[in-house]
Amino acid sequence: MQNGSSLDGKRVLITGASSGIGNAIARAFAGQGADIALLARREERLRDLSEDLIGEGTKAFSFPVDLTETGPAQDAVNLAASALGGLDIVINAAGVAYQANLSNGDIEKWRAMLDLNVFALAVVTREALPHFPEHGGHIVNISSMSGHRVPGKGGFYSATKFAVRAMTEGLRQELRAKGNLTRVSSISPGFVETELLDVYFSGQKTGGGYGGVDYPILQPEEVAELVLHQVTMPETAEVTDILVRPTGQKT
Ligand code: NDP
């Protein structure tokens, strides 16, 4: 942990902390002195991560929960806020991605994406807001480049990420209308090397890359660095969105 960092003692709730981008954000924020609540389903992964962080001197708590179940999701946010003594920052990183065609795709996969990427994100955010300080906190939604353009095979996933962008902007406007200065940001990465891509490309990795992705893709730690940048900007500056793609990504 670095002494005197701008995240010293900040109380941070991270969903999707058991792997990929959420895990990298938890490690990066802990490295800057934040206290962390970790949410996801896989209990063992959360326990391993919290033990690592505690070993490095961080206050870390884990709350295993299926965020698509509304009551348990609300309870987990409230328990996390009590454990941390309030919340300053919420990172909504939990998400799933499937290539499920709009014309004839698997309806249950559509529902899974909608339930987690859109609905659970809204529930977590709504439940977290009362725990922010009066002068405002910060919400960061992990969106996607698919929230800016529609990739051919990912139309439904893309719809959920366009929704994340709409909710990010909609919430910002609602809060400002009430005089609440909580910052609301999103980050919209292209391909990032995480387990999500194994699922999205159904494990079809050829020659070191996923279907047609023959260039180096982003690392979760690089996304975490950008999220750190968003939350450590002066409180008078709100980074609304960051689009970041692998240099080799064509679309
Ligand atoms: P991972 O699959 O590595 O992480 C997804 C996280 O979401 C896991 O921690 C998983 O934990 C959690 N999660 C999934 N389902 C649930 C659930 N029902 N309840 C609670 N938690 C759940 O993928 P990424 O790190 O890549 O994904 C993080 C975010 O980044 C997602 O929103 C994704 O859409 C976005 N993104 C990813 C890109 C990429 O190329 N990887 C590109 C652009 C955006 P558990 O299974 O333990 O519940």
Side-chain angles (χ1 to χ4, degrees), residues 15-23 39-43 45-46 65-69 92-98 112 115-117 120-121 141-146 157 160-161 164 187-197 199 201 217-218 220 223 244:
T15 74
S18 62
S19 75
I21 295 170
N23 179 295
L39 278 65
R41 290 168 306 179
R42 284 170 292 177
E43 194 166 355
R45 292 260 197 124
L46 293 183
V65 60
D66 183 341
L67 291 169
T68 63
E69 294 178 17
N92 283 307
V96 282
Y98 303 106
D115 281 353
L116 185 64
N117 301 0
L121 181 146
N141 295 326
I142 311 302
S143 183
S144 170
M145 270 185 58
S146 292
Y157 174 65
T160 68
K161 292 300 185 177
V164 170
I187 179 158
S188 301
F191 291 127
V192 187
E193 192 158 354
T194 70
E195 292 166 27
L196 175 138
L197 291 187
V199 177
F201 288 108
I217 60 176
L218 298 169
V223 177
V244 53

Tab-separated table of all heavy atoms in Angstrom, residues 15-23 39-43 45-46 65-69 92-98 112 115-117 120-121 141-146 157 160-161 164 187-197 199 201 217-218 220 223 244, ligand 1:
chain	number	residue	atom	x	y	z
A	15	THR	N	-18.273	-4.909	-7.781
A	15	THR	CA	-18.956	-6.127	-8.223
A	15	THR	C	-18.105	-6.800	-9.304
A	15	THR	O	-17.296	-6.153	-9.966
A	15	THR	CB	-20.377	-5.844	-8.778
A	15	THR	OG1	-20.263	-5.237	-10.069
A	15	THR	CG2	-21.191	-4.964	-7.842
A	16	GLY	N	-18.289	-8.105	-9.447
A	16	GLY	CA	-17.493	-8.828	-10.444
A	16	GLY	C	-16.039	-8.932	-10.024
A	16	GLY	O	-15.132	-9.010	-10.860
A	17	ALA	N	-15.812	-8.960	-8.697
A	17	ALA	CA	-14.435	-8.914	-8.191
A	17	ALA	C	-13.741	-10.268	-8.226
A	17	ALA	O	-12.547	-10.357	-7.954
A	17	ALA	CB	-14.437	-8.373	-6.762
A	18	SER	N	-14.479	-11.335	-8.575
A	18	SER	CA	-13.856	-12.663	-8.504
A	18	SER	C	-12.977	-12.967	-9.712
A	18	SER	O	-12.264	-13.964	-9.710
A	18	SER	CB	-14.933	-13.741	-8.365
A	18	SER	OG	-15.773	-13.727	-9.491
A	19	SER	N	-13.029	-12.134	-10.755
A	19	SER	CA	-12.134	-12.393	-11.886
A	19	SER	C	-11.984	-11.155	-12.761
A	19	SER	O	-12.657	-10.142	-12.553
A	19	SER	CB	-12.626	-13.586	-12.726
A	19	SER	OG	-13.725	-13.229	-13.507
A	20	GLY	N	-11.072	-11.272	-13.721
A	20	GLY	CA	-10.945	-10.288	-14.795
A	20	GLY	C	-10.779	-8.847	-14.336
A	20	GLY	O	-9.951	-8.531	-13.484
A	21	ILE	N	-11.578	-7.983	-14.921
A	21	ILE	CA	-11.427	-6.537	-14.715
A	21	ILE	C	-11.737	-6.160	-13.260
A	21	ILE	O	-11.016	-5.354	-12.651
A	21	ILE	CB	-12.338	-5.775	-15.712
A	21	ILE	CG1	-11.867	-6.027	-17.149
A	21	ILE	CG2	-12.357	-4.288	-15.398
A	21	ILE	CD1	-12.813	-5.530	-18.241
A	22	GLY	N	-12.785	-6.736	-12.683
A	22	GLY	CA	-13.138	-6.411	-11.297
A	22	GLY	C	-12.020	-6.793	-10.340
A	22	GLY	O	-11.685	-6.053	-9.409
A	23	ASN	N	-11.427	-7.956	-10.563
A	23	ASN	CA	-10.315	-8.421	-9.737
A	23	ASN	C	-9.121	-7.456	-9.870
A	23	ASN	O	-8.513	-7.066	-8.863
A	23	ASN	CB	-9.933	-9.838	-10.197
A	23	ASN	CG	-8.764	-10.422	-9.428
A	23	ASN	OD1	-7.653	-9.919	-9.509
A	23	ASN	ND2	-9.007	-11.484	-8.675
A	39	LEU	N	-17.769	-8.267	-4.332
A	39	LEU	CA	-19.029	-8.978	-4.576
A	39	LEU	C	-18.940	-9.791	-5.868
A	39	LEU	O	-18.441	-9.290	-6.889
A	39	LEU	CB	-20.206	-7.992	-4.711
A	39	LEU	CG	-20.854	-7.464	-3.419
A	39	LEU	CD1	-19.903	-6.611	-2.605
A	39	LEU	CD2	-22.111	-6.671	-3.770
A	40	ALA	N	-19.415	-11.018	-5.827
A	40	ALA	CA	-19.550	-11.901	-6.995
A	40	ALA	C	-20.119	-13.195	-6.444
A	40	ALA	O	-20.347	-13.308	-5.225
A	40	ALA	CB	-18.207	-12.140	-7.685
A	41	ARG	N	-20.320	-14.207	-7.298
A	41	ARG	CA	-20.891	-15.459	-6.788
A	41	ARG	C	-19.845	-16.386	-6.200
A	41	ARG	O	-20.093	-17.032	-5.196
A	41	ARG	CB	-21.635	-16.196	-7.919
A	41	ARG	CG	-22.917	-15.534	-8.358
A	41	ARG	CD	-23.411	-16.141	-9.640
A	41	ARG	NE	-22.351	-16.110	-10.661
A	41	ARG	CZ	-22.462	-16.583	-11.887
A	41	ARG	NH1	-23.588	-17.161	-12.264
A	41	ARG	NH2	-21.464	-16.497	-12.739
A	42	ARG	N	-18.678	-16.504	-6.830
A	42	ARG	CA	-17.730	-17.563	-6.439
A	42	ARG	C	-17.000	-17.219	-5.143
A	42	ARG	O	-16.051	-16.430	-5.128
A	42	ARG	CB	-16.748	-17.824	-7.586
A	42	ARG	CG	-17.377	-18.639	-8.715
A	42	ARG	CD	-16.505	-18.682	-9.933
A	42	ARG	NE	-16.385	-17.393	-10.575
A	42	ARG	CZ	-15.622	-17.154	-11.651
A	42	ARG	NH1	-14.929	-18.134	-12.184
A	42	ARG	NH2	-15.577	-15.952	-12.171
A	43	GLU	N	-17.491	-17.888	-4.064
A	43	GLU	CA	-17.053	-17.589	-2.705
A	43	GLU	C	-15.542	-17.799	-2.513
A	43	GLU	O	-14.858	-16.977	-1.924
A	43	GLU	CB	-17.839	-18.515	-1.770
A	43	GLU	CG	-17.760	-18.112	-0.347
A	43	GLU	CD	-18.816	-18.837	0.496
A	43	GLU	OE1	-19.665	-19.572	-0.048
A	43	GLU	OE2	-18.757	-18.643	1.721
A	45	ARG	N	-13.112	-17.816	-4.701
A	45	ARG	CA	-12.301	-16.805	-5.390
A	45	ARG	C	-12.272	-15.499	-4.587
A	45	ARG	O	-11.241	-14.847	-4.474
A	45	ARG	CB	-12.920	-16.491	-6.761
A	45	ARG	CG	-12.842	-17.613	-7.752
A	45	ARG	CD	-11.679	-17.343	-8.699
A	45	ARG	NE	-11.801	-18.141	-9.884
A	45	ARG	CZ	-11.822	-17.633	-11.121
A	45	ARG	NH1	-11.764	-16.342	-11.330
A	45	ARG	NH2	-11.895	-18.433	-12.155
A	46	LEU	N	-13.423	-15.138	-4.055
A	46	LEU	CA	-13.484	-13.894	-3.272
A	46	LEU	C	-12.647	-14.022	-2.006
A	46	LEU	O	-11.941	-13.088	-1.620
A	46	LEU	CB	-14.931	-13.557	-2.898
A	46	LEU	CG	-15.868	-13.180	-4.047
A	46	LEU	CD1	-17.242	-12.802	-3.496
A	46	LEU	CD2	-15.313	-12.025	-4.878
A	65	VAL	N	-22.562	-13.407	-3.684
A	65	VAL	CA	-23.977	-13.151	-3.983
A	65	VAL	C	-24.216	-13.281	-5.482
A	65	VAL	O	-23.355	-12.929	-6.291
A	65	VAL	CB	-24.370	-11.723	-3.511
A	65	VAL	CG1	-23.549	-10.634	-4.191
A	65	VAL	CG2	-25.858	-11.456	-3.706
A	66	ASP	N	-25.397	-13.810	-5.812
A	66	ASP	CA	-25.841	-13.760	-7.208
A	66	ASP	C	-26.590	-12.440	-7.379
A	66	ASP	O	-27.692	-12.266	-6.857
A	66	ASP	CB	-26.763	-14.949	-7.516
A	66	ASP	CG	-27.188	-14.970	-8.981
A	66	ASP	OD1	-27.075	-13.904	-9.646
A	66	ASP	OD2	-27.618	-16.031	-9.465
A	67	LEU	N	-25.986	-11.523	-8.089
A	67	LEU	CA	-26.545	-10.164	-8.178
A	67	LEU	C	-27.820	-10.098	-9.011
A	67	LEU	O	-28.496	-9.069	-9.024
A	67	LEU	CB	-25.494	-9.199	-8.741
A	67	LEU	CG	-24.314	-8.928	-7.800
A	67	LEU	CD1	-23.199	-8.184	-8.543
A	67	LEU	CD2	-24.757	-8.121	-6.579
A	68	THR	N	-28.153	-11.195	-9.705
A	68	THR	CA	-29.414	-11.166	-10.467
A	68	THR	C	-30.612	-11.447	-9.554
A	68	THR	O	-31.752	-11.347	-9.981
A	68	THR	CB	-29.393	-12.177	-11.636
A	68	THR	OG1	-29.276	-13.492	-11.099
A	68	THR	CG2	-28.249	-11.894	-12.585
A	69	GLU	N	-30.328	-11.817	-8.302
A	69	GLU	CA	-31.417	-11.991	-7.324
A	69	GLU	C	-31.527	-10.687	-6.541
A	69	GLU	O	-30.634	-10.332	-5.767
A	69	GLU	CB	-31.112	-13.174	-6.396
A	69	GLU	CG	-31.117	-14.504	-7.142
A	69	GLU	CD	-30.758	-15.664	-6.218
A	69	GLU	OE1	-30.817	-15.513	-4.986
A	69	GLU	OE2	-30.376	-16.709	-6.761
A	92	ASN	N	-19.183	-0.991	-10.841
A	92	ASN	CA	-20.070	-2.032	-11.366
A	92	ASN	C	-19.345	-2.763	-12.493
A	92	ASN	O	-19.390	-2.344	-13.657
A	92	ASN	CB	-21.359	-1.401	-11.896
A	92	ASN	CG	-22.319	-1.010	-10.793
A	92	ASN	OD1	-22.654	-1.836	-9.940
A	92	ASN	ND2	-22.754	0.236	-10.791
A	93	ALA	N	-18.649	-3.851	-12.122
A	93	ALA	CA	-17.882	-4.587	-13.139
A	93	ALA	C	-18.511	-5.934	-13.490
A	93	ALA	O	-18.117	-6.546	-14.477
A	93	ALA	CB	-16.437	-4.809	-12.666
A	94	ALA	N	-19.456	-6.426	-12.677
A	94	ALA	CA	-20.042	-7.741	-12.988
A	94	ALA	C	-20.751	-7.670	-14.339
A	94	ALA	O	-21.492	-6.728	-14.610
A	94	ALA	CB	-21.026	-8.152	-11.896
A	95	GLY	N	-20.515	-8.647	-15.172
A	95	GLY	CA	-21.170	-8.664	-16.478
A	95	GLY	C	-20.973	-10.000	-17.161
A	95	GLY	O	-20.041	-10.743	-16.831
A	96	VAL	N	-21.877	-10.330	-18.072
A	96	VAL	CA	-21.721	-11.532	-18.892
A	96	VAL	C	-21.938	-11.161	-20.359
A	96	VAL	O	-22.645	-10.199	-20.672
A	96	VAL	CB	-22.720	-12.664	-18.513
A	96	VAL	CG1	-22.280	-13.386	-17.262
A	96	VAL	CG2	-24.136	-12.156	-18.390
A	97	ALA	N	-21.303	-11.937	-21.235
A	97	ALA	CA	-21.420	-11.673	-22.673
A	97	ALA	C	-21.558	-12.984	-23.433
A	97	ALA	O	-20.758	-13.904	-23.227
A	97	ALA	CB	-20.170	-10.929	-23.161
A	98	TYR	N	-22.587	-13.069	-24.244
A	98	TYR	CA	-22.774	-14.227	-25.120
A	98	TYR	C	-23.041	-13.716	-26.520
A	98	TYR	O	-23.642	-12.648	-26.692
A	98	TYR	CB	-24.000	-15.053	-24.686
A	98	TYR	CG	-23.964	-15.533	-23.259
A	98	TYR	CD1	-24.771	-14.931	-22.294
A	98	TYR	CD2	-23.135	-16.588	-22.880
A	98	TYR	CE1	-24.746	-15.364	-20.973
A	98	TYR	CE2	-23.112	-17.028	-21.550
A	98	TYR	CZ	-23.918	-16.409	-20.614
A	98	TYR	OH	-23.888	-16.829	-19.304
A	112	ALA	N	-30.114	-13.610	-19.320
A	112	ALA	CA	-28.970	-13.565	-18.391
A	112	ALA	C	-28.198	-12.254	-18.562
A	112	ALA	O	-27.785	-11.630	-17.569
A	112	ALA	CB	-28.055	-14.766	-18.637
A	115	ASP	N	-30.424	-9.340	-17.213
A	115	ASP	CA	-30.568	-9.392	-15.750
A	115	ASP	C	-29.318	-8.869	-15.041
A	115	ASP	O	-29.415	-8.168	-14.043
A	115	ASP	CB	-30.828	-10.836	-15.276
A	115	ASP	CG	-32.274	-11.243	-15.492
A	115	ASP	OD1	-33.090	-10.386	-15.883
A	115	ASP	OD2	-32.587	-12.433	-15.271
A	116	LEU	N	-28.141	-9.256	-15.540
A	116	LEU	CA	-26.908	-8.849	-14.837
A	116	LEU	C	-26.411	-7.483	-15.338
A	116	LEU	O	-26.195	-6.568	-14.540
A	116	LEU	CB	-25.817	-9.912	-15.013
A	116	LEU	CG	-24.540	-9.624	-14.222
A	116	LEU	CD1	-24.798	-9.630	-12.708
A	116	LEU	CD2	-23.439	-10.630	-14.553
A	117	ASN	N	-26.219	-7.359	-16.656
A	117	ASN	CA	-25.550	-6.163	-17.189
A	117	ASN	C	-26.377	-4.904	-16.976
A	117	ASN	O	-25.826	-3.810	-16.843
A	117	ASN	CB	-25.267	-6.325	-18.688
A	117	ASN	CG	-24.399	-7.532	-18.999
A	117	ASN	OD1	-23.994	-8.258	-18.102
A	117	ASN	ND2	-24.132	-7.768	-20.270
A	120	ALA	N	-29.206	-5.735	-12.646
A	120	ALA	CA	-28.429	-5.823	-11.398
A	120	ALA	C	-27.596	-4.563	-11.196
A	120	ALA	O	-27.457	-4.074	-10.074
A	120	ALA	CB	-27.543	-7.067	-11.407
A	121	LEU	N	-27.053	-4.030	-12.285
A	121	LEU	CA	-26.251	-2.801	-12.172
A	121	LEU	C	-27.116	-1.665	-11.617
A	121	LEU	O	-26.690	-0.897	-10.735
A	121	LEU	CB	-25.666	-2.451	-13.544
A	121	LEU	CG	-24.778	-1.212	-13.648
A	121	LEU	CD1	-23.667	-1.425	-14.673
A	121	LEU	CD2	-25.580	0.029	-14.013
A	141	ASN	N	-19.199	2.551	-14.049
A	141	ASN	CA	-19.810	1.398	-14.724
A	141	ASN	C	-18.858	0.879	-15.796
A	141	ASN	O	-18.404	1.646	-16.653
A	141	ASN	CB	-21.128	1.819	-15.383
A	141	ASN	CG	-22.154	2.238	-14.349
A	141	ASN	OD1	-22.187	1.690	-13.245
A	141	ASN	ND2	-22.992	3.208	-14.693
A	142	ILE	N	-18.561	-0.434	-15.743
A	142	ILE	CA	-17.730	-1.004	-16.806
A	142	ILE	C	-18.663	-1.319	-17.974
A	142	ILE	O	-19.444	-2.271	-17.934
A	142	ILE	CB	-16.974	-2.277	-16.354
A	142	ILE	CG1	-16.254	-2.042	-15.010
A	142	ILE	CG2	-15.980	-2.700	-17.437
A	142	ILE	CD1	-15.247	-0.914	-14.966
A	143	SER	N	-18.597	-0.458	-18.967
A	143	SER	CA	-19.433	-0.640	-20.160
A	143	SER	C	-18.601	-1.401	-21.199
A	143	SER	O	-17.913	-2.364	-20.862
A	143	SER	CB	-19.908	0.731	-20.651
A	143	SER	OG	-20.755	0.567	-21.746
A	144	SER	N	-18.567	-0.949	-22.423
A	144	SER	CA	-17.844	-1.682	-23.471
A	144	SER	C	-17.844	-0.837	-24.739
A	144	SER	O	-18.711	0.029	-24.907
A	144	SER	CB	-18.585	-2.991	-23.755
A	144	SER	OG	-18.075	-3.620	-24.898
A	145	MET	N	-16.905	-1.140	-25.639
A	145	MET	CA	-17.014	-0.539	-26.977
A	145	MET	C	-18.333	-0.945	-27.619
A	145	MET	O	-18.867	-0.237	-28.466
A	145	MET	CB	-15.852	-0.988	-27.857
A	145	MET	CG	-14.674	-0.044	-27.737
A	145	MET	SD	-13.362	-0.467	-28.867
A	145	MET	CE	-14.191	-0.395	-30.429
A	146	SER	N	-18.863	-2.097	-27.166
A	146	SER	CA	-20.175	-2.532	-27.670
A	146	SER	C	-21.308	-1.639	-27.165
A	146	SER	O	-22.459	-1.827	-27.556
A	146	SER	CB	-20.456	-3.983	-27.253
A	146	SER	OG	-19.581	-4.835	-27.936
A	157	TYR	N	-25.908	-8.377	-26.592
A	157	TYR	CA	-24.912	-7.887	-25.618
A	157	TYR	C	-24.755	-6.379	-25.790
A	157	TYR	O	-24.749	-5.617	-24.831
A	157	TYR	CB	-23.583	-8.607	-25.852
A	157	TYR	CG	-22.435	-8.086	-25.007
A	157	TYR	CD1	-22.446	-8.220	-23.617
A	157	TYR	CD2	-21.333	-7.457	-25.592
A	157	TYR	CE1	-21.394	-7.743	-22.842
A	157	TYR	CE2	-20.278	-6.980	-24.830
A	157	TYR	CZ	-20.312	-7.125	-23.457
A	157	TYR	OH	-19.272	-6.650	-22.687
A	160	THR	N	-27.337	-4.333	-24.215
A	160	THR	CA	-27.200	-4.153	-22.758
A	160	THR	C	-26.152	-3.081	-22.455
A	160	THR	O	-26.263	-2.364	-21.466
A	160	THR	CB	-26.833	-5.472	-22.021
A	160	THR	OG1	-25.512	-5.900	-22.365
A	160	THR	CG2	-27.831	-6.577	-22.313
A	161	LYS	N	-25.136	-2.974	-23.283
A	161	LYS	CA	-24.086	-1.986	-23.012
A	161	LYS	C	-24.513	-0.580	-23.469
A	161	LYS	O	-24.107	0.411	-22.867
A	161	LYS	CB	-22.767	-2.413	-23.655
A	161	LYS	CG	-22.176	-3.663	-22.993
A	161	LYS	CD	-21.900	-3.439	-21.492
A	161	LYS	CE	-21.207	-4.619	-20.833
A	161	LYS	NZ	-20.892	-4.372	-19.410
A	164	VAL	N	-26.248	0.529	-20.519
A	164	VAL	CA	-25.351	0.999	-19.449
A	164	VAL	C	-24.976	2.459	-19.700
A	164	VAL	O	-24.949	3.284	-18.787
A	164	VAL	CB	-24.084	0.111	-19.350
A	164	VAL	CG1	-23.044	0.729	-18.418
A	164	VAL	CG2	-24.449	-1.293	-18.875
A	187	ILE	N	-16.528	3.246	-18.432
A	187	ILE	CA	-15.343	2.983	-19.251
A	187	ILE	C	-15.748	1.937	-20.266
A	187	ILE	O	-16.489	1.004	-19.947
A	187	ILE	CB	-14.120	2.586	-18.393
A	187	ILE	CG1	-12.924	2.295	-19.296
A	187	ILE	CG2	-14.393	1.408	-17.497
A	187	ILE	CD1	-11.590	2.410	-18.587
A	188	SER	N	-15.297	2.112	-21.499
A	188	SER	CA	-15.788	1.297	-22.612
A	188	SER	C	-14.623	0.636	-23.337
A	188	SER	O	-14.121	1.145	-24.341
A	188	SER	CB	-16.562	2.196	-23.588
A	188	SER	OG	-17.645	2.809	-22.921
A	189	PRO	N	-14.164	-0.501	-22.814
A	189	PRO	CA	-13.021	-1.151	-23.451
A	189	PRO	C	-13.413	-2.008	-24.651
A	189	PRO	O	-14.537	-2.509	-24.730
A	189	PRO	CB	-12.462	-2.067	-22.341
A	189	PRO	CG	-13.315	-1.851	-21.126
A	189	PRO	CD	-14.581	-1.187	-21.577
A	190	GLY	N	-12.435	-2.186	-25.555
A	190	GLY	CA	-12.518	-3.245	-26.567
A	190	GLY	C	-12.123	-4.548	-25.885
A	190	GLY	O	-12.246	-4.673	-24.662
A	191	PHE	N	-11.614	-5.501	-26.673
A	191	PHE	CA	-11.310	-6.817	-26.094
A	191	PHE	C	-10.281	-6.738	-24.965
A	191	PHE	O	-9.228	-6.123	-25.121
A	191	PHE	CB	-10.781	-7.766	-27.162
A	191	PHE	CG	-11.824	-8.175	-28.166
A	191	PHE	CD1	-11.596	-8.032	-29.525
A	191	PHE	CD2	-13.034	-8.713	-27.750
A	191	PHE	CE1	-12.555	-8.412	-30.457
A	191	PHE	CE2	-14.000	-9.098	-28.676
A	191	PHE	CZ	-13.759	-8.943	-30.030
A	192	VAL	N	-10.618	-7.382	-23.841
A	192	VAL	CA	-9.728	-7.468	-22.681
A	192	VAL	C	-9.544	-8.953	-22.373
A	192	VAL	O	-10.515	-9.721	-22.425
A	192	VAL	CB	-10.352	-6.787	-21.439
A	192	VAL	CG1	-9.333	-6.727	-20.298
A	192	VAL	CG2	-10.869	-5.387	-21.773
A	193	GLU	N	-8.311	-9.340	-22.044
A	193	GLU	CA	-8.025	-10.761	-21.815
A	193	GLU	C	-8.594	-11.216	-20.475
A	193	GLU	O	-7.947	-11.076	-19.427
A	193	GLU	CB	-6.518	-11.009	-21.864
A	193	GLU	CG	-6.209	-12.467	-21.923
A	193	GLU	CD	-4.827	-12.739	-22.485
A	193	GLU	OE1	-4.147	-11.803	-22.941
A	193	GLU	OE2	-4.440	-13.906	-22.451
A	194	THR	N	-9.797	-11.737	-20.488
A	194	THR	CA	-10.442	-12.263	-19.272
A	194	THR	C	-11.227	-13.524	-19.640
A	194	THR	O	-11.402	-13.843	-20.821
A	194	THR	CB	-11.434	-11.251	-18.663
A	194	THR	OG1	-12.562	-11.153	-19.537
A	194	THR	CG2	-10.823	-9.880	-18.440
A	195	GLU	N	-11.780	-14.157	-18.601
A	195	GLU	CA	-12.573	-15.377	-18.824
A	195	GLU	C	-13.810	-15.104	-19.679
A	195	GLU	O	-14.344	-16.007	-20.319
A	195	GLU	CB	-13.006	-15.955	-17.467
A	195	GLU	CG	-11.839	-16.492	-16.674
A	195	GLU	CD	-12.197	-16.757	-15.206
A	195	GLU	OE1	-13.369	-17.018	-14.892
A	195	GLU	OE2	-11.274	-16.701	-14.377
A	196	LEU	N	-14.282	-13.874	-19.663
A	196	LEU	CA	-15.486	-13.527	-20.420
A	196	LEU	C	-15.330	-13.856	-21.909
A	196	LEU	O	-16.278	-14.295	-22.568
A	196	LEU	CB	-15.795	-12.038	-20.219
A	196	LEU	CG	-16.933	-11.405	-21.002
A	196	LEU	CD1	-17.747	-10.476	-20.097
A	196	LEU	CD2	-16.413	-10.622	-22.194
A	197	LEU	N	-14.109	-13.678	-22.437
A	197	LEU	CA	-13.913	-13.935	-23.867
A	197	LEU	C	-13.987	-15.422	-24.187
A	197	LEU	O	-14.409	-15.801	-25.280
A	197	LEU	CB	-12.586	-13.343	-24.353
A	197	LEU	CG	-12.509	-11.821	-24.385
A	197	LEU	CD1	-11.211	-11.373	-25.052
A	197	LEU	CD2	-13.697	-11.193	-25.119
A	199	VAL	N	-16.041	-17.416	-22.857
A	199	VAL	CA	-17.472	-17.680	-22.967
A	199	VAL	C	-18.012	-17.060	-24.265
A	199	VAL	O	-18.716	-17.715	-25.040
A	199	VAL	CB	-18.216	-17.083	-21.738
A	199	VAL	CG1	-19.719	-17.272	-21.872
A	199	VAL	CG2	-17.705	-17.725	-20.450
A	201	PHE	N	-16.540	-16.314	-27.040
A	201	PHE	CA	-16.100	-17.019	-28.255
A	201	PHE	C	-16.223	-18.536	-28.096
A	201	PHE	O	-15.617	-19.286	-28.857
A	201	PHE	CB	-14.647	-16.647	-28.596
A	201	PHE	CG	-14.505	-15.240	-29.118
A	201	PHE	CD1	-13.915	-14.246	-28.347
A	201	PHE	CD2	-14.970	-14.888	-30.379
A	201	PHE	CE1	-13.788	-12.948	-28.822
A	201	PHE	CE2	-14.842	-13.593	-30.863
A	201	PHE	CZ	-14.253	-12.623	-30.083
A	217	ILE	N	-4.445	-8.088	-27.161
A	217	ILE	CA	-5.623	-7.411	-26.618
A	217	ILE	C	-5.279	-6.753	-25.279
A	217	ILE	O	-4.187	-6.925	-24.766
A	217	ILE	CB	-6.835	-8.362	-26.522
A	217	ILE	CG1	-6.537	-9.548	-25.607
A	217	ILE	CG2	-7.253	-8.828	-27.910
A	217	ILE	CD1	-7.761	-10.460	-25.415
A	218	LEU	N	-6.227	-5.971	-24.767
A	218	LEU	CA	-5.973	-5.240	-23.519
A	218	LEU	C	-5.839	-6.204	-22.345
A	218	LEU	O	-6.432	-7.292	-22.355
A	218	LEU	CB	-7.137	-4.282	-23.232
A	218	LEU	CG	-7.387	-3.176	-24.257
A	218	LEU	CD1	-8.723	-2.484	-23.971
A	218	LEU	CD2	-6.248	-2.154	-24.238
A	220	PRO	N	-6.502	-6.702	-18.158
A	220	PRO	CA	-7.387	-6.125	-17.142
A	220	PRO	C	-6.701	-5.046	-16.297
A	220	PRO	O	-7.331	-4.064	-15.908
A	220	PRO	CB	-7.777	-7.324	-16.262
A	220	PRO	CG	-7.201	-8.539	-16.885
A	220	PRO	CD	-6.444	-8.176	-18.100
A	223	VAL	N	-7.045	-1.653	-17.872
A	223	VAL	CA	-8.367	-1.046	-17.648
A	223	VAL	C	-8.421	-0.492	-16.215
A	223	VAL	O	-8.908	0.624	-15.976
A	223	VAL	CB	-9.492	-2.073	-17.891
A	223	VAL	CG1	-10.856	-1.475	-17.588
A	223	VAL	CG2	-9.434	-2.590	-19.329
A	244	VAL	N	-11.421	2.707	-24.830
A	244	VAL	CA	-10.043	2.221	-24.986
A	244	VAL	C	-10.088	0.904	-25.742
A	244	VAL	O	-10.876	0.021	-25.400
A	244	VAL	CB	-9.343	2.077	-23.608
A	244	VAL	CG1	-10.122	1.233	-22.627
A	244	VAL	CG2	-7.928	1.529	-23.766
B	1	NDP	P1	-15.040	-11.970	-16.215
B	1	NDP	O1	-15.852	-13.094	-16.719
B	1	NDP	O2	-13.605	-12.212	-15.904
B	1	NDP	O3	-15.738	-11.316	-14.941
B	1	NDP	C1	-17.118	-11.205	-14.813
B	1	NDP	C2	-17.437	-11.021	-13.349
B	1	NDP	O4	-18.859	-10.923	-13.198
B	1	NDP	C3	-16.968	-12.182	-12.483
B	1	NDP	O5	-16.396	-11.707	-11.310
B	1	NDP	C4	-18.241	-12.930	-12.189
B	1	NDP	O6	-18.131	-13.572	-10.934
B	1	NDP	C5	-19.250	-11.795	-12.135
B	1	NDP	N1	-20.593	-12.294	-12.304
B	1	NDP	C6	-21.088	-12.981	-13.350
B	1	NDP	N2	-22.370	-13.331	-13.118
B	1	NDP	C7	-22.677	-12.841	-11.891
B	1	NDP	C8	-23.852	-12.872	-11.086
B	1	NDP	N3	-24.976	-13.459	-11.505
B	1	NDP	N4	-23.808	-12.290	-9.871
B	1	NDP	C9	-22.675	-11.702	-9.426
B	1	NDP	N5	-21.553	-11.604	-10.146
B	1	NDP	C10	-21.557	-12.179	-11.364
B	1	NDP	O7	-15.177	-10.840	-17.323
B	1	NDP	P2	-14.598	-9.347	-17.431
B	1	NDP	O8	-13.737	-9.012	-16.308
B	1	NDP	O9	-14.101	-9.217	-18.794
B	1	NDP	O10	-15.956	-8.522	-17.345
B	1	NDP	C11	-16.116	-7.396	-16.501
B	1	NDP	C12	-16.949	-6.355	-17.226
B	1	NDP	O11	-16.209	-5.862	-18.331
B	1	NDP	C13	-18.263	-6.887	-17.799
B	1	NDP	O12	-19.282	-5.950	-17.551
B	1	NDP	C14	-17.991	-6.973	-19.295
B	1	NDP	O13	-19.159	-6.826	-20.042
B	1	NDP	C15	-17.030	-5.805	-19.466
B	1	NDP	N6	-16.198	-5.848	-20.666
B	1	NDP	C16	-15.363	-6.910	-20.906
B	1	NDP	C17	-14.607	-6.924	-22.069
B	1	NDP	C18	-13.694	-8.054	-22.408
B	1	NDP	O14	-13.259	-8.146	-23.582
B	1	NDP	N7	-13.356	-8.928	-21.475
B	1	NDP	C19	-14.657	-5.815	-23.042
B	1	NDP	C20	-15.547	-4.755	-22.655
B	1	NDP	C21	-16.276	-4.773	-21.518
B	1	NDP	P3	-18.828	-14.938	-10.508
B	1	NDP	O15	-18.829	-15.841	-11.697
B	1	NDP	O16	-17.956	-15.408	-9.387
B	1	NDP	O17	-20.188	-14.556	-10.058
